[in-house]
Amino acid sequence: MCLEDSYARIQNRLYELTDEPTEMLYFSVMSDPIGGGLEEQIEGFMSEHRDLKIVFIDTLQMVRCSTDSSYGSDYKDLSVLKALADKLEITVIVVHHTRKCKDSDPFNMISGSTGLSGCVDGSMVLIETKRGSRNAKLYCVGRDIENAEINLQFDSDLKKWVVTDEPTAPKSKDNIFLAALYVYIKKKIDFSGTASELVSELKEITQEQFYPNRVTRDLVQNGYTLRKYEINFQYKRTRNGRLIILHYDRERDSSDSKNTSEVTSTS
């Protein structure tokens, strides 16, 4: 939802990124406000596109009924969007502005009250080290992720921000878990089940003890490494419990020649 753009501007920017845009991406330059039809619009769109996964709203102020930025008003508006995301089992990303004044805590720079960050599952703040420098840091915090600070640089040729520093290497225990998972998924290609079922499967690979209540967290925290080895990870809440879905793309895995036939446990 590009609510500050025109279709002409969207098209020009899109073709700066790619000459073959996906047919699975839809744009809108108009919408109703929160509590005034926006939720019904998104639900209506999903009824016609059942594979909808993510909705971007750019910007928050364009879908608000008032300019009130009190804690109660901020929390209420974001609560509506969060409830909609939970109901439809999709992700809603809301773009919002930061204040111009600097602060030692980047999240205090989010325009409005703390009700905005207090309601959502996660917040990300992008701050340029110096205006126009094209160097920035992305600060991330959330209920299901650990705090992270990622250095970025804007690539003028690619027209996007790229990571300039590698994430911290996982601890040795994480390495064992990821190695065992990699060996397992290379053979099975797909997995769909609970954390307990995944732990049970990994027992055939290594004698190392893994715990179901930590498996999902470890998968989320090591998402970068999973993508590097072409392991796609999804996590869904269903009526029957929490479901982990994994898929290995063998054709795109450039590391497939590495020797990963054995995983040994360490004490």
Side-chain angles (χ1 to χ4, degrees), residues 180 196 198-210:
S196 296
L198 179 58
V199 167
S200 179
E201 293 286 335
L202 294 182
K203 287 181 179 179
E204 300 181 6
I205 305 298
T206 176
Q207 297 300 313
E208 186 70 37
Q209 180 68 47
F210 301 120

Side-chain angles (χ1 to χ4, degrees), residues 104-232:
S104 58
D105 184 347
F107 297 97
N108 287 338
M109 296 175 63
I110 298 175
S111 182
S113 74
T114 55
L116 294 176
S117 56
C119 171
V120 299
D121 287 328
S123 298
M124 294 178 284
V125 178
L126 179 67
I127 300 178
E128 268 194 298
T129 53
K130 183 179 179 181
R131 183 186 292 272
S133 67
R134 298 293 177 149
N135 293 307
K137 182 168 288 189
L138 182 66
Y139 299 87
C140 310
V141 66
R143 294 170 179 166
D144 299 316
I145 61 173
E146 289 189 353
N147 295 4
E149 297 180 10
I150 304 171
N151 292 316
L152 304 173
Q153 185 175 54
F154 189 81
D155 190 309
S156 299
D157 294 325
L158 298 177
K159 304 297 182 184
K160 68 178 183 179
W161 293 96
V162 294
V163 177
T164 57
D165 59 350
E166 291 287 335
T168 304
K171 298 178 181 179
S172 59
K173 181 79 172 182
D174 291 339
N175 282 333
I176 297 172
F177 170 73
L178 292 176
L181 178 67
Y182 185 57
V183 171
Y184 168 76
I185 203 66
K186 278 186 65 178
K187 296 178 180 179
K188 299 294 185 179
I189 305 299
D190 292 286
F191 171 84
S192 178
T194 64
S196 296
E197 290 171 340
L198 179 58
V199 167
S200 179
E201 293 286 335
L202 294 182
K203 287 181 179 179
E204 300 181 6
I205 305 298
T206 176
Q207 297 300 313
E208 186 70 37
Q209 180 68 47
F210 301 120
Y211 301 96
N213 63 335
R214 296 188 57 179
V215 164
T216 303
R217 188 203 67 178
D218 291 343
L219 289 171
V220 172
Q221 290 180 346
N222 292 287
Y224 179 87
T225 303
L226 293 177
R227 291 191 298 273
K228 182 178 179 180
Y229 290 98
E230 300 302 336
I231 301 175
N232 298 315

